[in-house]
């Protein structure tokens, strides 16, 4: 079992309740990363489902969860031969922090009937760059759990050269060797810096709503993350992320709505 598997483990209490322990290693300056929290939620949902893959997940982030003990409470809404729909709530200290609706199914290894190309071409990985390590006092522990190497223009905001449009692109894998799976994909769709940074925004940009789809089971190797947005307005922005595996297959898609950060 890897560190990520341990950090997202869900222990069955009864058929509708799972104990979890939210890991301090996935902090983004205090609050925990939303993709990590989705992975925790999905461990419980899949464990209680007759189907093994979370094909679509929609969550509302009610408040910022912190490290420590918590529970996932489940309500199975419908189950059938091909899919099961479950309502899942992450509860900490008696309060709900995430509300989610998850559909599980069982994916095979079918050849796509049709597939598009990535929306933007990425440079070779050797031409990409990493973000500088965060200062210890920042409590940005998430960075140590994964490797992200960026298409250089999309992190020009670091030295005052944002591209002027909401975008972020990077190659992704966990820091500890582990083949990607649906739980790693849940982390990956929320692993990029907020795309609003590249449009000139700064500060913590809390996600309010995030929906993502598992389109195929990923092959081993680096994942490619391509993020972009369509509108920044009145303190809100959207962010879409495509995830492509090492064979060039689209394996996940996400869309989120978030607040523009202050700072």
């Amino acid at each position: 079992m890897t560190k990520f598997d341990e950090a997202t483990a869900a222990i069955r209490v009864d058929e509708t309740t799972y104990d979890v322990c939210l890991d301090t290693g996935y902090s983004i300056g205090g609050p925990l990363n939303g993709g990590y929290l989705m992975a925790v939620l999905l461990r419980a949902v899949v464990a209680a489902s007759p189907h093994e893959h979370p094909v679509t997940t929609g969550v509302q982030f009610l408040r910022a969860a912190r490290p420590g003990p918590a529970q996932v409470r489940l309500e199975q809404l419908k189950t059938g031969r091909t899919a099961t729909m479950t309502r899942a709530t992450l509860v900490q200290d008696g309060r709900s922090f995430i509300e989610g609706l998850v559909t599980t199914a069982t994916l095979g290894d079918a050849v796509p009937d049709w597939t598009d190309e990535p929306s933007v071409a990425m440079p070779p990985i050797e031409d990409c760059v990493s973000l500088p390590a965060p200062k210890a006092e920042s409590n940005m522990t998430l960075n140590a759990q994964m490797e992200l190497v960026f298409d250089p223009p999309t992190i020009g905001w670091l030295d005052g050269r944002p591209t002027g449009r909401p975008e972020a692109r990077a190659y992704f894998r966990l820091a500890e060797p582990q083949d990607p799976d649906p739980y790693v994909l849940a982390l990956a769709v929320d692993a990029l810096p907020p795309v609003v940074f590249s449009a000139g925004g700064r500060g913590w940009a809390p996600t309010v709503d995030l929906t993502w789809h598992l389109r195929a089971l990923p092959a081993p190797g680096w994942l490619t993350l391509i993020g972009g947005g369509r509108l920044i307005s009145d303190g809100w922005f959207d962010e879409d992320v495509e995830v492509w595996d090492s064979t060039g297959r689209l394996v996940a898609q996400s869309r989120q709505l978030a607040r523009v950060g202050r700072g």
Side-chain angles (χ1 to χ4, degrees), residues 213-231:
H213 307 305
L214 171 65
R215 303 309 311 277
L217 300 177
W222 287 91
L223 299 171
T224 301
L225 313 183
I226 300 175
R230 302 298 297 274
L231 178 66

Side-chain angles (χ1 to χ4, degrees), residues 37-210:
L37 295 172
M38 287 194 299
V40 172
L41 203 75
L42 293 176
R43 290 281 190 192
V45 171
V46 171
S49 172
H51 304 288
E52 59 181 310
H53 302 128
V55 294
T56 184
T57 301
V59 298
Q60 299 278 331
F61 294 93
L62 307 180
R63 46 185 62 88
R66 303 281 175 165
Q71 284 190 328
V72 178
R73 297 177 184 172
L74 307 176
E75 178 188 0
Q76 196 172 96
L77 303 177
K78 180 183 178 181
T79 189
R81 184 176 59 85
T82 59
T84 295
M85 293 77 168
T86 303
R87 177 179 289 115
T89 306
L90 181 69
V91 178
Q92 194 173 41
D93 298 326
R95 304 173 75 198
S96 298
F97 281 75
I98 296 178
E99 290 281 356
L101 290 174
V102 183
T103 298
T104 50
T106 302
L107 297 180
D109 195 26
V111 176
D113 298 321
W114 182 87
T115 185
D116 202 357
E117 298 294 323
S119 58
V120 179
M122 284 285 286
I125 195 167
E126 58 269 19
D127 294 336
C128 293
V129 294
S130 300
L131 291 174
K135 296 179 180 179
E137 59 268 25
S138 71
N139 199 26
M140 291 285 293
T141 58
L142 174 66
N143 300 57
Q145 310 305 323
M146 59 191 186
E147 292 182 60
L148 281 172
V149 286
F150 292 85
D151 188 0
T154 69
I155 56 170
W157 49 267
L158 272 174
D159 55 9
R161 296 180 296 109
T163 65
R165 57 178 296 112
E167 57 185 350
R169 296 184 292 275
Y171 294 101
F172 167 97
R173 66 183 179 186
L174 292 181
E176 181 182 14
Q178 178 175 345
D179 289 341
D181 61 18
Y183 309 105
V184 174
L185 291 179
L187 177 65
V189 297
D190 197 38
L192 291 169
V195 295
V196 73
F197 285 7
S198 196
R202 284 296 179 94
W204 180 47
T207 301
V208 175
D209 172 273
L210 192 154

